Amino acid sequence: MDALSTRAILLSLKPAAEATLPKAPERSSAPERFAGFVRIKQVDKAGTYTVALPAPAWIDAVQAGHTLKPSGFSGATDCTGIRKMVRYELSAGELLLQVSGVSAETIALAILPVE
């Protein structure tokens, strides 16, 4: 993906044992779960961004080869629209998002600036 979009991204995943993630995830995943990644070539503006997912999953955000630590997160087990939100302080430039531990072969995610 060339630039960061405010529209949802539908990510196709592979079984964790077959997924070739560019960087080892911070948390291991059961082999029957699914994993995948999206590389965003350009985050135009540095700032705080929220990554939102509709299902349980582990998210790794990577910039300049370093896995970023979340600046905040929240989750709701009884919510059908958004299950998990994780905030990151992103720099301008390339962003790699890896998702693992997913129970389905696809997952939608959104990356939105925090205002």
Side-chain angles (χ1 to χ4, degrees):
M1 173 175 278
D2 288 335
L4 189 62
S5 172
T6 57
R7 296 180 0 169
I9 300 166
L10 184 60
L11 193 56
S12 294
L13 308 173
K14 293 184 178 182
E18 298 172 22
T20 307
L21 300 177
K23 189 164 176 73
E26 290 283 304
R27 181 180 285 177
S28 62
S29 176
E32 68 275 6
R33 295 289 180 151
F34 294 88
F37 68 95
V38 61
R39 192 177 303 273
I40 298 163
K41 292 183 181 176
Q42 186 60 43
V43 174
D44 289 328
K45 184 178 176 186
T48 306
Y49 290 80
T50 297
V51 179
L53 300 168
W58 182 260
I59 306 168
D60 288 310
V62 181
Q63 282 195 306
H66 300 286
T67 303
L68 304 177
K69 298 295 179 201
S71 61
F73 63 90
S74 63
T77 57
D78 59 347
C79 183
T80 58
I82 297 177
R83 168 66 169 82
K84 183 175 188 173
M85 294 187 301
V86 183
R87 284 189 176 183
Y88 293 98
E89 297 297 326
L90 300 180
S91 302
E94 187 174 271
L95 170 66
L96 168 67
L97 278 181
Q98 299 184 151
V99 181
S100 56
V102 182
S103 63
E105 294 179 358
T106 61
I107 192 165
L109 61 92
I111 309 162
L112 302 169
V114 175
E115 297 178 8

